[in-house]
Amino acid sequence: MPFPATLTTPILEGRLVRLEPLDHRHAADLAAAAEEDRGSYRFTWVPVAAEVDDYIEAQLSRAAAGTLKPYAQIAKDSGRAVGATAYWDPRLWSEGAGLCAVEVGFTWLAASAQGTGLNTEAKLLLFANAFEQWRVARVDLKTDARNSRSRSALEKVGARFEGVLRSWSRSWAPGEAGLLRDSAMFSVLASEWPACRARLEARLA
């Protein structure tokens, strides 16, 4: 189901990171970012430099179809794109009157940007826009159930673990092409957002 046509893709800006709608102008930076130490991408698909143009084109095609709102993550201290993230999998109220829930995913960062606070602030910006501007009831997040690093990061930003859905999503692990992975499911509800916001802001302080 596509995003409502009335929902724009705003630039989201914090102290450390600026989230800009993904565009081919980000390709050179993302190619460099993707070729840093790739050791943390064991369970996440991140394009190599030669794939970045096709990756951006695929994300823009999903955006044109209304199923994805992709962003480049811009490090404010350098002005360079150091990763990507997105809203996707929108779900509408049964009456069709607006967005009920959305997932935050397709997220990756260059090795040098990991552990710097950029991911925390990006989640703060994405959650705040979803809850406070789009008025969603829920934000979804998921990761490979084996990805303990990603699961820990989601818990640290205040998302609640809901369980594991078996053989739920495509696996991006090396040697598992064509296979499905177990997905660990997380969420933040609108009622939990004030506490989650306070937690994120405290981490960034």
Side-chain angles (χ1 to χ4, degrees):
M1 188 173 294
F3 283 94
T6 55
L7 284 189
T8 61
T9 310
I11 292 174
L12 303 174
E13 188 153 0
R15 179 175 57 86
L16 301 174
V17 66
R18 182 173 65 254
L19 302 180
E20 298 179 353
L22 183 67
D23 188 83
H24 282 289
R25 71 179 182 276
H26 300 119
D29 285 352
L30 291 178
E35 289 302 324
E36 293 183 14
D37 182 358
R38 296 178 61 88
S40 65
Y41 303 151
R42 173 71 173 82
F43 299 108
T44 303
W45 184 72
V46 176
V48 298
E51 298 171 330
V52 165
D53 283 324
D54 289 343
Y55 162 80
I56 293 174
E57 191 59 37
Q59 295 296 71
L60 294 179
S61 294
R62 295 183 180 101
T67 60
L68 186 80
K69 290 187 177 294
Y71 283 96
Q73 301 198 60
I74 312 299
K76 297 278 293 283
D77 62 355
S78 67
R80 298 178 64 86
V82 294
T85 191
Y87 291 117
W88 76 296
D89 196 18
R91 301 202 305 281
L92 305 186
W93 293 103
S94 57
E95 300 82 4
L99 196 63
C100 169
V102 69
E103 183 165 340
V104 170
F106 285 94
T107 301
W108 62 273
L109 279 173
S112 60
Q114 296 172 23
T116 63
L118 264 72
N119 179 62
T120 299
E121 189 173 64
K123 292 296 190 294
L124 173 61
L125 296 170
L126 291 163
F127 292 175
N129 182 67
F131 287 118
E132 297 171 13
Q133 302 302 318
W134 293 350
R135 300 295 180 184
V136 301
R138 170 188 169 102
V139 170
D140 303 329
L141 307 103
K142 68 175 180 284
T143 188
D144 192 304
R146 299 166 293 182
N147 192 342
S148 58
R149 179 174 180 165
S150 179
R151 290 176 65 162
S152 176
L154 292 177
E155 290 173 349
K156 287 178 180 176
V157 300
R160 182 172 298 186
F161 174 59
E162 296 185 322
V164 173
L165 295 179
R166 298 177 299 164
S167 296
W168 181 255
S169 307
R170 175 180 176 178
S171 175
W172 297 107
E176 295 184 0
L179 300 180
L180 295 174
R181 74 180 194 195
D182 293 347
S183 289
M185 310 298 292
F186 294 79
S187 69
V188 180
L189 304 184
S191 61
E192 299 165 344
W193 168 235
C196 179
R197 173 187 264 284
R199 182 173 182 172
L200 289 167
E201 290 174 340
R203 290 190 64 201
L204 288 166

